[in-house]
């Protein structure tokens, strides 16, 4: 279940504003787990939203993060906590983690409540058909639980570079 804090106009929270509160089921390298924003307080983390596990762009993005995870460090040397969020169920996330040997946690936002809270559940168009889905986006949350940086319409192959630049600004 997701608890939401949404800005008045439904858009993404601004840099410096409190990040939406959440608690989601997911899968990490050690198996199923529940992750909450409350438990993450005191440590910066990256919350990245992706449309669907095991698709080409999402696989590129996840594997690039996996391959560069050791380099993603917050000022002071601590490794960055990375959390991927999609509307996929836990079973699909488990298959994705296993197949790609991912070393970070993926969260299931099946009711897209967290995506809505971040303003990334949007109307999309593909082959002339409109539907609702996740806009690939990334949010860096600081140790106090505030949005430190964000990027909408992330390009999978350039995501890690943006994360490194955003971390340098913390």
């Amino acid at each position: 279940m997701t608890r939401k804090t949404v800005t008045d106009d439904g858009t993404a929270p601004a840099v410096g504003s409190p990040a939406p509160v959440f608690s989601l089921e997911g899968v990490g390298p050690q198996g199923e787990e529940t992750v909450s924003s409350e438990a993450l307080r005191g440590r910066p983390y990256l919350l990245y939203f992706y449309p669907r596990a095991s698709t080409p762009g999402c696989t590129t993005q996840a594997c690039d993060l996996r391959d560069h995870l050791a380099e993603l460090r917050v000022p002071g040397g601590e490794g960055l906590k990375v959390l991927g969020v999609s509307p996929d169920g836990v079973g699909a996330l488990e298959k994705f983690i296993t197949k790609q040997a991912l070393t970070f946690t993926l969260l299931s936002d099946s009711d897209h409540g967290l995506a809505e809270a971040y303003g990334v559940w949007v109307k999309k168009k593909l082959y002339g058909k409109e539907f609702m889905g996740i806009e690939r986006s990334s949010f860096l949350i600081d140790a106090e639980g505030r949005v430190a940086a964000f990027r909408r319409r992330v390009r999978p192959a350039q995501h890690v570079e943006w994360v490194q630049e955003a971390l340098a600004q913390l």
Side-chain angles (χ1 to χ4, degrees):
M1 174 176 278
T2 304
R3 292 183 293 149
K4 303 189 261 187
T5 304
V6 186
T7 56
D8 290 338
D9 61 1
T11 60
V15 169
S17 68
V21 176
F22 71 91
S23 179
L24 292 173
E25 298 296 317
V27 180
Q30 309 304 320
E32 290 187 25
E33 60 182 283
T34 300
V35 177
S36 71
S37 52
E38 188 173 308
L40 293 166
R41 190 169 289 271
R43 179 178 182 186
Y45 61 95
L46 176 72
L47 201 60
Y48 84 93
F49 292 86
Y50 63 97
R52 190 167 157 216
S54 298
T55 57
C58 297
T59 299
T60 296
Q61 184 176 20
C63 290
D64 201 27
L65 281 165
R66 175 201 64 205
D67 295 346
H68 293 91
L69 193 59
E71 301 164 24
L72 301 178
R73 300 224 165 279
V74 297
E78 183 180 5
L80 181 66
K81 177 83 170 170
V82 173
L83 302 165
V85 181
S86 78
D88 295 306
V90 172
L93 299 179
E94 189 169 27
K95 288 177 186 174
F96 190 38
I97 278 192
T98 301
K99 184 175 182 181
Q100 302 303 330
L102 300 180
T103 54
F104 53 87
T105 301
L106 301 178
L107 301 174
S108 175
D109 187 24
S110 57
D111 70 353
H112 48 81
L114 188 59
E116 288 180 32
Y118 274 92
V120 300
W121 186 253
V122 299
K123 188 179 289 186
K124 299 172 91 176
K125 196 175 208 176
L126 182 65
Y127 302 116
K129 293 188 178 195
E130 288 187 351
F131 61 96
M132 295 300 289
I134 287 189
E135 176 182 71
R136 190 182 308 275
S137 301
S138 200
F139 296 82
L140 182 62
I141 311 303
D142 69 18
E144 286 78 42
R146 297 189 175 281
V147 176
F150 70 91
R151 165 83 36 109
R152 305 289 294 260
R153 293 182 217 99
V154 170
R155 293 188 181 270
Q158 298 166 347
H159 188 215
V160 168
E161 181 181 334
W162 175 81
V163 174
Q164 291 169 327
E165 291 170 4
L167 280 171
Q169 302 302 314
L170 275 183

